[in-house]
PDB file of all heavy atoms in Angstrom:
ATOM      1  N   ALA R   1       0.827  -1.209   0.000  1.00 98.00           N
ATOM      2  CA  ALA R   1       0.000   0.000   0.000  1.00 98.00           C
ATOM      3  C   ALA R   1       0.856   1.251   0.000  1.00 98.00           C
ATOM      4  O   ALA R   1       0.603   2.199  -0.768  1.00 98.00           O
ATOM      5  CB  ALA R   1      -0.928  -0.007   1.216  1.00 98.00           C
ATOM      6  N   ALA R   2       1.867   1.281   0.848  1.00 98.00           N
ATOM      7  CA  ALA R   2       2.743   2.456   0.926  1.00 98.00           C
ATOM      8  C   ALA R   2       3.492   2.679  -0.376  1.00 98.00           C
ATOM      9  O   ALA R   2       3.661   3.820  -0.833  1.00 98.00           O
ATOM     10  CB  ALA R   2       3.731   2.286   2.080  1.00 98.00           C
ATOM     11  N   ALA R   3       3.938   1.592  -0.975  1.00 98.00           N
ATOM     12  CA  ALA R   3       4.675   1.704  -2.233  1.00 98.00           C
ATOM     13  C   ALA R   3       3.779   2.229  -3.354  1.00 98.00           C
ATOM     14  O   ALA R   3       4.159   3.155  -4.082  1.00 98.00           O
ATOM     15  CB  ALA R   3       5.255   0.343  -2.622  1.00 98.00           C
ATOM     16  N   ASN R   4       2.594   1.654  -3.491  1.00 98.00           N
ATOM     17  CA  ASN R   4       1.714   2.024  -4.596  1.00 98.00           C
ATOM     18  C   ASN R   4       1.152   3.435  -4.468  1.00 98.00           C
ATOM     19  O   ASN R   4       0.991   4.140  -5.471  1.00 98.00           O
ATOM     20  CB  ASN R   4       0.571   1.020  -4.716  1.00 98.00           C
ATOM     21  CG  ASN R   4       1.006  -0.290  -5.364  1.00 98.00           C
ATOM     22  OD1 ASN R   4       1.945  -0.313  -6.158  1.00 98.00           O
ATOM     23  ND2 ASN R   4       0.337  -1.377  -5.014  1.00 98.00           N
ATOM     24  N   THR R   5       0.836   3.849  -3.247  1.00 98.00           N
ATOM     25  CA  THR R   5       0.174   5.149  -3.086  1.00 98.00           C
ATOM     26  C   THR R   5       1.131   6.323  -2.961  1.00 98.00           C
ATOM     27  O   THR R   5       0.771   7.451  -3.311  1.00 98.00           O
ATOM     28  CB  THR R   5      -0.745   5.145  -1.848  1.00 98.00           C
ATOM     29  OG1 THR R   5       0.041   4.858  -0.682  1.00 98.00           O
ATOM     30  CG2 THR R   5      -1.846   4.110  -1.978  1.00 98.00           C
ATOM     31  N   ALA R   6       2.344   6.092  -2.483  1.00 98.00           N
ATOM     32  CA  ALA R   6       3.235   7.232  -2.220  1.00 98.00           C
ATOM     33  C   ALA R   6       4.661   7.029  -2.715  1.00 98.00           C
ATOM     34  O   ALA R   6       5.209   7.886  -3.403  1.00 98.00           O
ATOM     35  CB  ALA R   6       3.247   7.541  -0.724  1.00 98.00           C
ATOM     36  N   ALA R   7       5.289   5.914  -2.351  1.00 98.00           N
ATOM     37  CA  ALA R   7       6.720   5.764  -2.631  1.00 98.00           C
ATOM     38  C   ALA R   7       7.016   5.685  -4.126  1.00 98.00           C
ATOM     39  O   ALA R   7       7.895   6.393  -4.628  1.00 98.00           O
ATOM     40  CB  ALA R   7       7.263   4.532  -1.915  1.00 98.00           C
ATOM     41  N   ILE R   8       6.309   4.836  -4.841  1.00 98.00           N
ATOM     42  CA  ILE R   8       6.570   4.690  -6.273  1.00 98.00           C
ATOM     43  C   ILE R   8       6.239   5.974  -7.038  1.00 98.00           C
ATOM     44  O   ILE R   8       7.068   6.460  -7.818  1.00 98.00           O
ATOM     45  CB  ILE R   8       5.817   3.468  -6.844  1.00 98.00           C
ATOM     46  CG1 ILE R   8       6.339   2.174  -6.201  1.00 98.00           C
ATOM     47  CG2 ILE R   8       5.976   3.397  -8.364  1.00 98.00           C
ATOM     48  CD1 ILE R   8       5.538   0.938  -6.539  1.00 98.00           C
ATOM     49  N   PRO R   9       5.063   6.574  -6.813  1.00 98.00           N
ATOM     50  CA  PRO R   9       4.803   7.853  -7.488  1.00 98.00           C
ATOM     51  C   PRO R   9       5.815   8.942  -7.147  1.00 98.00           C
ATOM     52  O   PRO R   9       6.115   9.802  -7.975  1.00 98.00           O
ATOM     53  CB  PRO R   9       3.402   8.234  -6.988  1.00 98.00           C
ATOM     54  CG  PRO R   9       2.761   6.947  -6.613  1.00 98.00           C
ATOM     55  CD  PRO R   9       3.882   6.116  -6.058  1.00 98.00           C
ATOM     56  N   GLY R  10       6.359   8.897  -5.917  1.00 98.00           N
ATOM     57  CA  GLY R  10       7.312   9.907  -5.488  1.00 98.00           C
ATOM     58  C   GLY R  10       8.755   9.576  -5.813  1.00 98.00           C
ATOM     59  O   GLY R  10       9.659  10.358  -5.498  1.00 98.00           O
ATOM     60  N   GLY R  11       8.995   8.411  -6.428  1.00 98.00           N
ATOM     61  CA  GLY R  11      10.352   8.021  -6.772  1.00 98.00           C
ATOM     62  C   GLY R  11      11.224   7.720  -5.573  1.00 98.00           C
ATOM     63  O   GLY R  11      12.442   7.913  -5.600  1.00 98.00           O
ATOM     64  N   VAL R  12      10.606   7.204  -4.502  1.00 98.00           N
ATOM     65  CA  VAL R  12      11.319   6.950  -3.244  1.00 98.00           C
ATOM     66  C   VAL R  12      11.667   5.472  -3.110  1.00 98.00           C
ATOM     67  O   VAL R  12      10.793   4.605  -3.226  1.00 98.00           O
ATOM     68  CB  VAL R  12      10.467   7.403  -2.039  1.00 98.00           C
ATOM     69  CG1 VAL R  12      11.105   6.969  -0.726  1.00 98.00           C
ATOM     70  CG2 VAL R  12      10.295   8.917  -2.063  1.00 98.00           C
ATOM     71  N   VAL R  13      12.932   5.191  -2.847  1.00 98.00           N
ATOM     72  CA  VAL R  13      13.386   3.822  -2.608  1.00 98.00           C
ATOM     73  C   VAL R  13      12.826   3.322  -1.284  1.00 98.00           C
ATOM     74  O   VAL R  13      12.858   4.020  -0.269  1.00 98.00           O
ATOM     75  CB  VAL R  13      14.924   3.751  -2.601  1.00 98.00           C
ATOM     76  CG1 VAL R  13      15.406   2.424  -2.007  1.00 98.00           C
ATOM     77  CG2 VAL R  13      15.470   3.912  -4.013  1.00 98.00           C
ATOM     78  N   VAL R  14      12.322   2.087  -1.288  1.00 98.00           N
ATOM     79  CA  VAL R  14      11.793   1.408  -0.106  1.00 98.00           C
ATOM     80  C   VAL R  14      12.638   0.166   0.153  1.00 98.00           C
ATOM     81  O   VAL R  14      12.833  -0.641  -0.762  1.00 98.00           O
ATOM     82  CB  VAL R  14      10.321   0.991  -0.323  1.00 98.00           C
ATOM     83  CG1 VAL R  14       9.832   0.103   0.815  1.00 98.00           C
ATOM     84  CG2 VAL R  14       9.435   2.207  -0.476  1.00 98.00           C
ATOM     85  N   VAL R  15      13.146   0.007   1.366  1.00 98.00           N
ATOM     86  CA  VAL R  15      13.850  -1.219   1.745  1.00 98.00           C
ATOM     87  C   VAL R  15      13.177  -1.767   2.990  1.00 98.00           C
ATOM     88  O   VAL R  15      13.345  -1.237   4.085  1.00 98.00           O
ATOM     89  CB  VAL R  15      15.348  -0.980   2.006  1.00 98.00           C
ATOM     90  CG1 VAL R  15      16.039  -2.322   2.290  1.00 98.00           C
ATOM     91  CG2 VAL R  15      16.014  -0.287   0.821  1.00 98.00           C
ATOM     92  N   SER R  16      12.392  -2.823   2.834  1.00 98.00           N
ATOM     93  CA  SER R  16      11.686  -3.403   3.979  1.00 98.00           C
ATOM     94  C   SER R  16      12.527  -4.486   4.632  1.00 98.00           C
ATOM     95  O   SER R  16      13.048  -5.371   3.954  1.00 98.00           O
ATOM     96  CB  SER R  16      10.345  -4.007   3.544  1.00 98.00           C
ATOM     97  OG  SER R  16       9.748  -4.681   4.642  1.00 98.00           O
ATOM     98  N   PRO R  17      12.642  -4.449   5.956  1.00 98.00           N
ATOM     99  CA  PRO R  17      13.356  -5.508   6.660  1.00 98.00           C
ATOM    100  C   PRO R  17      12.508  -6.737   6.937  1.00 98.00           C
ATOM    101  O   PRO R  17      13.039  -7.758   7.382  1.00 98.00           O
ATOM    102  CB  PRO R  17      13.737  -4.845   7.996  1.00 98.00           C
ATOM    103  CG  PRO R  17      13.241  -3.450   7.948  1.00 98.00           C
ATOM    104  CD  PRO R  17      12.236  -3.372   6.868  1.00 98.00           C
ATOM    105  N   ALA R  18      11.185  -6.657   6.707  1.00 97.00           N
ATOM    106  CA  ALA R  18      10.317  -7.718   7.229  1.00 97.00           C
ATOM    107  C   ALA R  18       9.128  -8.073   6.352  1.00 97.00           C
ATOM    108  O   ALA R  18       8.388  -8.991   6.696  1.00 97.00           O
ATOM    109  CB  ALA R  18       9.811  -7.317   8.618  1.00 97.00           C
ATOM    110  N   ALA R  19       8.903  -7.379   5.257  1.00 98.00           N
ATOM    111  CA  ALA R  19       7.779  -7.713   4.378  1.00 98.00           C
ATOM    112  C   ALA R  19       8.162  -8.928   3.544  1.00 98.00           C
ATOM    113  O   ALA R  19       9.039  -8.854   2.694  1.00 98.00           O
ATOM    114  CB  ALA R  19       7.443  -6.533   3.475  1.00 98.00           C
ATOM    115  N   THR R  20       7.512 -10.053   3.789  1.00 96.00           N
ATOM    116  CA  THR R  20       7.968 -11.319   3.223  1.00 96.00           C
ATOM    117  C   THR R  20       7.010 -11.947   2.213  1.00 96.00           C
ATOM    118  O   THR R  20       7.280 -13.028   1.703  1.00 96.00           O
ATOM    119  CB  THR R  20       8.226 -12.336   4.356  1.00 96.00           C
ATOM    120  OG1 THR R  20       7.061 -12.416   5.181  1.00 96.00           O
ATOM    121  CG2 THR R  20       9.422 -11.916   5.203  1.00 96.00           C
ATOM    122  N   SER R  21       5.901 -11.294   1.919  1.00 96.00           N
ATOM    123  CA  SER R  21       4.927 -11.892   1.002  1.00 96.00           C
ATOM    124  C   SER R  21       5.525 -12.099  -0.390  1.00 96.00           C
ATOM    125  O   SER R  21       6.211 -11.216  -0.924  1.00 96.00           O
ATOM    126  CB  SER R  21       3.693 -11.001   0.876  1.00 96.00           C
ATOM    127  OG  SER R  21       2.853 -11.466  -0.169  1.00 96.00           O
ATOM    128  N   PRO R  22       5.241 -13.244  -1.024  1.00 96.00           N
ATOM    129  CA  PRO R  22       5.677 -13.454  -2.413  1.00 96.00           C
ATOM    130  C   PRO R  22       5.113 -12.406  -3.368  1.00 96.00           C
ATOM    131  O   PRO R  22       5.672 -12.203  -4.449  1.00 96.00           O
ATOM    132  CB  PRO R  22       5.125 -14.849  -2.733  1.00 96.00           C
ATOM    133  CG  PRO R  22       5.045 -15.541  -1.407  1.00 96.00           C
ATOM    134  CD  PRO R  22       4.650 -14.468  -0.436  1.00 96.00           C
ATOM    135  N   ALA R  23       4.035 -11.715  -2.980  1.00 96.00           N
ATOM    136  CA  ALA R  23       3.429 -10.708  -3.855  1.00 96.00           C
ATOM    137  C   ALA R  23       4.376  -9.551  -4.142  1.00 96.00           C
ATOM    138  O   ALA R  23       4.253  -8.884  -5.181  1.00 96.00           O
ATOM    139  CB  ALA R  23       2.139 -10.178  -3.228  1.00 96.00           C
ATOM    140  N   LEU R  24       5.330  -9.293  -3.267  1.00 97.00           N
ATOM    141  CA  LEU R  24       6.263  -8.196  -3.507  1.00 97.00           C
ATOM    142  C   LEU R  24       7.196  -8.484  -4.678  1.00 97.00           C
ATOM    143  O   LEU R  24       7.697  -7.561  -5.317  1.00 97.00           O
ATOM    144  CB  LEU R  24       7.098  -7.907  -2.254  1.00 97.00           C
ATOM    145  CG  LEU R  24       6.547  -6.820  -1.327  1.00 97.00           C
ATOM    146  CD1 LEU R  24       5.336  -7.337  -0.574  1.00 97.00           C
ATOM    147  CD2 LEU R  24       7.613  -6.326  -0.376  1.00 97.00           C
ATOM    148  N   THR R  25       7.431  -9.763  -4.936  1.00 96.00           N
ATOM    149  CA  THR R  25       8.340 -10.139  -6.013  1.00 96.00           C
ATOM    150  C   THR R  25       7.855  -9.626  -7.362  1.00 96.00           C
ATOM    151  O   THR R  25       8.650  -9.202  -8.199  1.00 96.00           O
ATOM    152  CB  THR R  25       8.511 -11.671  -6.060  1.00 96.00           C
ATOM    153  OG1 THR R  25       9.087 -12.112  -4.826  1.00 96.00           O
ATOM    154  CG2 THR R  25       9.406 -12.104  -7.207  1.00 96.00           C
ATOM    155  N   THR R  26       6.543  -9.658  -7.579  1.00 96.00           N
ATOM    156  CA  THR R  26       5.993  -9.276  -8.881  1.00 96.00           C
ATOM    157  C   THR R  26       5.397  -7.872  -8.883  1.00 96.00           C
ATOM    158  O   THR R  26       4.726  -7.490  -9.836  1.00 96.00           O
ATOM    159  CB  THR R  26       4.915 -10.289  -9.303  1.00 96.00           C
ATOM    160  OG1 THR R  26       3.910 -10.388  -8.273  1.00 96.00           O
ATOM    161  CG2 THR R  26       5.534 -11.668  -9.513  1.00 96.00           C
ATOM    162  N   LEU R  27       5.647  -7.104  -7.836  1.00 97.00           N
ATOM    163  CA  LEU R  27       5.128  -5.741  -7.761  1.00 97.00           C
ATOM    164  C   LEU R  27       5.768  -4.874  -8.850  1.00 97.00           C
ATOM    165  O   LEU R  27       6.980  -4.890  -9.031  1.00 97.00           O
ATOM    166  CB  LEU R  27       5.434  -5.150  -6.383  1.00 97.00           C
ATOM    167  CG  LEU R  27       4.806  -3.803  -6.026  1.00 97.00           C
ATOM    168  CD1 LEU R  27       3.291  -3.941  -5.900  1.00 97.00           C
ATOM    169  CD2 LEU R  27       5.394  -3.276  -4.716  1.00 97.00           C
ATOM    170  N   GLU R  28       4.948  -4.129  -9.581  1.00 97.00           N
ATOM    171  CA  GLU R  28       5.468  -3.213 -10.603  1.00 97.00           C
ATOM    172  C   GLU R  28       5.933  -1.936  -9.903  1.00 97.00           C
ATOM    173  O   GLU R  28       5.149  -1.028  -9.649  1.00 97.00           O
ATOM    174  CB  GLU R  28       4.387  -2.931 -11.644  1.00 97.00           C
ATOM    175  CG  GLU R  28       3.998  -4.152 -12.457  1.00 97.00           C
ATOM    176  CD  GLU R  28       2.993  -3.837 -13.546  1.00 97.00           C
ATOM    177  OE1 GLU R  28       2.684  -2.645 -13.751  1.00 97.00           O
ATOM    178  OE2 GLU R  28       2.521  -4.789 -14.192  1.00 97.00           O
ATOM    179  N   ASP R  29       7.216  -1.883  -9.585  1.00 98.00           N
ATOM    180  CA  ASP R  29       7.721  -0.863  -8.661  1.00 98.00           C
ATOM    181  C   ASP R  29       8.778   0.065  -9.238  1.00 98.00           C
ATOM    182  O   ASP R  29       9.387   0.849  -8.507  1.00 98.00           O
ATOM    183  CB  ASP R  29       8.274  -1.545  -7.411  1.00 98.00           C
ATOM    184  CG  ASP R  29       9.443  -2.482  -7.727  1.00 98.00           C
ATOM    185  OD1 ASP R  29       9.829  -2.597  -8.906  1.00 98.00           O
ATOM    186  OD2 ASP R  29       9.981  -3.104  -6.787  1.00 98.00           O
ATOM    187  N   ASN R  30       9.037  -0.025 -10.528  1.00 98.00           N
ATOM    188  CA  ASN R  30      10.078   0.814 -11.147  1.00 98.00           C
ATOM    189  C   ASN R  30      11.432   0.641 -10.470  1.00 98.00           C
ATOM    190  O   ASN R  30      12.225   1.579 -10.374  1.00 98.00           O
ATOM    191  CB  ASN R  30       9.668   2.299 -11.132  1.00 98.00           C
ATOM    192  CG  ASN R  30       8.419   2.573 -11.940  1.00 98.00           C
ATOM    193  OD1 ASN R  30       8.144   1.889 -12.925  1.00 98.00           O
ATOM    194  ND2 ASN R  30       7.648   3.568 -11.536  1.00 98.00           N
ATOM    195  N   ASP R  31      11.688  -0.565  -9.984  1.00 98.00           N
ATOM    196  CA  ASP R  31      12.941  -0.896  -9.292  1.00 98.00           C
ATOM    197  C   ASP R  31      13.170  -0.010  -8.070  1.00 98.00           C
ATOM    198  O   ASP R  31      14.285   0.420  -7.784  1.00 98.00           O
ATOM    199  CB  ASP R  31      14.148  -0.797 -10.226  1.00 98.00           C
ATOM    200  CG  ASP R  31      15.351  -1.585  -9.701  1.00 98.00           C
ATOM    201  OD1 ASP R  31      15.134  -2.649  -9.091  1.00 98.00           O
ATOM    202  OD2 ASP R  31      16.492  -1.123  -9.893  1.00 98.00           O
ATOM    203  N   LEU R  32      12.111   0.206  -7.299  1.00 98.00           N
ATOM    204  CA  LEU R  32      12.206   1.040  -6.105  1.00 98.00           C
ATOM    205  C   LEU R  32      11.997   0.262  -4.808  1.00 98.00           C
ATOM    206  O   LEU R  32      12.329   0.763  -3.733  1.00 98.00           O
ATOM    207  CB  LEU R  32      11.180   2.185  -6.170  1.00 98.00           C
ATOM    208  CG  LEU R  32      11.451   3.275  -7.212  1.00 98.00           C
ATOM    209  CD1 LEU R  32      10.240   4.188  -7.345  1.00 98.00           C
ATOM    210  CD2 LEU R  32      12.694   4.077  -6.858  1.00 98.00           C
ATOM    211  N   VAL R  33      11.428  -0.939  -4.880  1.00 98.00           N
ATOM    212  CA  VAL R  33      11.092  -1.696  -3.671  1.00 98.00           C
ATOM    213  C   VAL R  33      12.047  -2.874  -3.506  1.00 98.00           C
ATOM    214  O   VAL R  33      12.134  -3.748  -4.375  1.00 98.00           O
ATOM    215  CB  VAL R  33       9.635  -2.178  -3.707  1.00 98.00           C
ATOM    216  CG1 VAL R  33       9.313  -2.986  -2.441  1.00 98.00           C
ATOM    217  CG2 VAL R  33       8.675  -0.998  -3.834  1.00 98.00           C
ATOM    218  N   PHE R  34      12.729  -2.901  -2.366  1.00 98.00           N
ATOM    219  CA  PHE R  34      13.701  -3.939  -2.038  1.00 98.00           C
ATOM    220  C   PHE R  34      13.370  -4.495  -0.653  1.00 98.00           C
ATOM    221  O   PHE R  34      12.589  -3.912   0.094  1.00 98.00           O
ATOM    222  CB  PHE R  34      15.120  -3.357  -2.014  1.00 98.00           C
ATOM    223  CG  PHE R  34      15.571  -2.762  -3.312  1.00 98.00           C
ATOM    224  CD1 PHE R  34      15.171  -1.477  -3.681  1.00 98.00           C
ATOM    225  CD2 PHE R  34      16.403  -3.470  -4.169  1.00 98.00           C
ATOM    226  CE1 PHE R  34      15.588  -0.917  -4.885  1.00 98.00           C
ATOM    227  CE2 PHE R  34      16.826  -2.912  -5.370  1.00 98.00           C
ATOM    228  CZ  PHE R  34      16.416  -1.640  -5.730  1.00 98.00           C
ATOM    229  N   ARG R  35      13.972  -5.616  -0.316  1.00 97.00           N
ATOM    230  CA  ARG R  35      13.809  -6.143   1.050  1.00 97.00           C
ATOM    231  C   ARG R  35      15.066  -6.893   1.465  1.00 97.00           C
ATOM    232  O   ARG R  35      15.763  -7.479   0.630  1.00 97.00           O
ATOM    233  CB  ARG R  35      12.570  -7.020   1.169  1.00 97.00           C
ATOM    234  CG  ARG R  35      12.422  -8.113   0.123  1.00 97.00           C
ATOM    235  CD  ARG R  35      11.106  -8.845   0.335  1.00 97.00           C
ATOM    236  NE  ARG R  35      10.722  -9.680  -0.816  1.00 97.00           N
ATOM    237  CZ  ARG R  35       9.610 -10.372  -0.900  1.00 97.00           C
ATOM    238  NH1 ARG R  35       8.755 -10.355   0.107  1.00 97.00           N
ATOM    239  NH2 ARG R  35       9.324 -11.099  -1.967  1.00 97.00           N
ATOM    240  N   THR R  36      15.335  -6.874   2.751  1.00 97.00           N
ATOM    241  CA  THR R  36      16.505  -7.548   3.300  1.00 97.00           C
ATOM    242  C   THR R  36      16.137  -8.870   3.972  1.00 97.00           C
ATOM    243  O   THR R  36      16.994  -9.512   4.576  1.00 97.00           O
ATOM    244  CB  THR R  36      17.235  -6.638   4.304  1.00 97.00           C
ATOM    245  OG1 THR R  36      16.311  -6.155   5.289  1.00 97.00           O
ATOM    246  CG2 THR R  36      17.876  -5.459   3.594  1.00 97.00           C
ATOM    247  N   ALA R  37      14.884  -9.268   3.876  1.00 96.00           N
ATOM    248  CA  ALA R  37      14.424 -10.573   4.366  1.00 96.00           C
ATOM    249  C   ALA R  37      13.939 -11.392   3.179  1.00 96.00           C
ATOM    250  O   ALA R  37      13.414 -10.837   2.203  1.00 96.00           O
ATOM    251  CB  ALA R  37      13.289 -10.400   5.370  1.00 96.00           C
ATOM    252  N   PRO R  38      14.079 -12.711   3.224  1.00 95.00           N
ATOM    253  CA  PRO R  38      13.660 -13.541   2.101  1.00 95.00           C
ATOM    254  C   PRO R  38      12.150 -13.659   1.994  1.00 95.00           C
ATOM    255  O   PRO R  38      11.417 -13.457   2.959  1.00 95.00           O
ATOM    256  CB  PRO R  38      14.281 -14.903   2.420  1.00 95.00           C
ATOM    257  CG  PRO R  38      14.395 -14.920   3.911  1.00 95.00           C
ATOM    258  CD  PRO R  38      14.708 -13.499   4.297  1.00 95.00           C
ATOM    259  N   SER R  39      11.686 -14.021   0.810  1.00 95.00           N
ATOM    260  CA  SER R  39      10.266 -14.211   0.549  1.00 95.00           C
ATOM    261  C   SER R  39       9.719 -15.424   1.301  1.00 95.00           C
ATOM    262  O   SER R  39      10.428 -16.404   1.540  1.00 95.00           O
ATOM    263  CB  SER R  39      10.052 -14.399  -0.954  1.00 95.00           C
ATOM    264  OG  SER R  39       8.763 -14.887  -1.237  1.00 95.00           O
ATOM    265  N   ASP R  40       8.431 -15.359   1.631  1.00 96.00           N
ATOM    266  CA  ASP R  40       7.777 -16.505   2.266  1.00 96.00           C
ATOM    267  C   ASP R  40       7.598 -17.679   1.319  1.00 96.00           C
ATOM    268  O   ASP R  40       7.238 -18.775   1.758  1.00 96.00           O
ATOM    269  CB  ASP R  40       6.420 -16.093   2.839  1.00 96.00           C
ATOM    270  CG  ASP R  40       6.558 -15.331   4.148  1.00 96.00           C
ATOM    271  OD1 ASP R  40       7.543 -15.577   4.865  1.00 96.00           O
ATOM    272  OD2 ASP R  40       5.695 -14.491   4.447  1.00 96.00           O
ATOM    273  N   ALA R  41       7.829 -17.466   0.044  1.00 95.00           N
ATOM    274  CA  ALA R  41       7.862 -18.608  -0.862  1.00 95.00           C
ATOM    275  C   ALA R  41       8.953 -19.574  -0.410  1.00 95.00           C
ATOM    276  O   ALA R  41       8.805 -20.797  -0.505  1.00 95.00           O
ATOM    277  CB  ALA R  41       8.117 -18.136  -2.297  1.00 95.00           C
ATOM    278  N   TYR R  42      10.036 -19.026   0.111  1.00 95.00           N
ATOM    279  CA  TYR R  42      11.128 -19.831   0.636  1.00 95.00           C
ATOM    280  C   TYR R  42      10.867 -20.253   2.078  1.00 95.00           C
ATOM    281  O   TYR R  42      11.078 -21.421   2.444  1.00 95.00           O
ATOM    282  CB  TYR R  42      12.429 -19.045   0.549  1.00 95.00           C
ATOM    283  CG  TYR R  42      13.647 -19.787   1.045  1.00 95.00           C
ATOM    284  CD1 TYR R  42      14.102 -20.931   0.401  1.00 95.00           C
ATOM    285  CD2 TYR R  42      14.350 -19.346   2.158  1.00 95.00           C
ATOM    286  CE1 TYR R  42      15.211 -21.612   0.852  1.00 95.00           C
ATOM    287  CE2 TYR R  42      15.470 -20.018   2.615  1.00 95.00           C
ATOM    288  CZ  TYR R  42      15.896 -21.150   1.956  1.00 95.00           C
ATOM    289  OH  TYR R  42      17.013 -21.827   2.406  1.00 95.00           O
ATOM    290  N   GLN R  43      10.390 -19.322   2.907  1.00 97.00           N
ATOM    291  CA  GLN R  43      10.147 -19.671   4.301  1.00 97.00           C
ATOM    292  C   GLN R  43       9.076 -20.748   4.435  1.00 97.00           C
ATOM    293  O   GLN R  43       9.165 -21.625   5.309  1.00 97.00           O
ATOM    294  CB  GLN R  43       9.750 -18.446   5.134  1.00 97.00           C
ATOM    295  CG  GLN R  43       9.668 -18.774   6.625  1.00 97.00           C
ATOM    296  CD  GLN R  43       9.310 -17.608   7.514  1.00 97.00           C
ATOM    297  OE1 GLN R  43       9.207 -17.768   8.724  1.00 97.00           O
ATOM    298  NE2 GLN R  43       9.126 -16.427   6.943  1.00 97.00           N
ATOM    299  N   GLY R  44       8.055 -20.698   3.576  1.00 97.00           N
ATOM    300  CA  GLY R  44       7.015 -21.721   3.618  1.00 97.00           C
ATOM    301  C   GLY R  44       7.583 -23.108   3.380  1.00 97.00           C
ATOM    302  O   GLY R  44       7.224 -24.083   4.059  1.00 97.00           O
ATOM    303  N   ALA R  45       8.501 -23.200   2.414  1.00 97.00           N
ATOM    304  CA  ALA R  45       9.134 -24.488   2.122  1.00 97.00           C
ATOM    305  C   ALA R  45       9.995 -24.954   3.290  1.00 97.00           C
ATOM    306  O   ALA R  45      10.032 -26.146   3.635  1.00 97.00           O
ATOM    307  CB  ALA R  45       9.975 -24.375   0.855  1.00 97.00           C
TER     308      ALA R  45
END
């Protein structure tokens, strides 16, 4: 929500330490959204 409504339109880099949903992998983010924790696609396995 934060990325789509404010960060991406504002050209602001986002680095989440804890957002782990696989949905972030396919987010159309203009290469602005990163994370330092692995996806739950891996944690689930």
Side-chain angles (χ1 to χ4, degrees):
N4 283 332
T5 59
I8 296 172
V12 172
V13 166
V14 171
V15 184
S16 174
T20 53
S21 171
L24 267 73
T25 298
T26 55
L27 188 67
E28 294 184 6
D29 61 0
N30 297 330
D31 200 35
L32 290 169
V33 179
F34 300 80
R35 50 183 166 183
T36 53
S39 166
D40 283 331
Y42 181 65
Q43 187 179 179

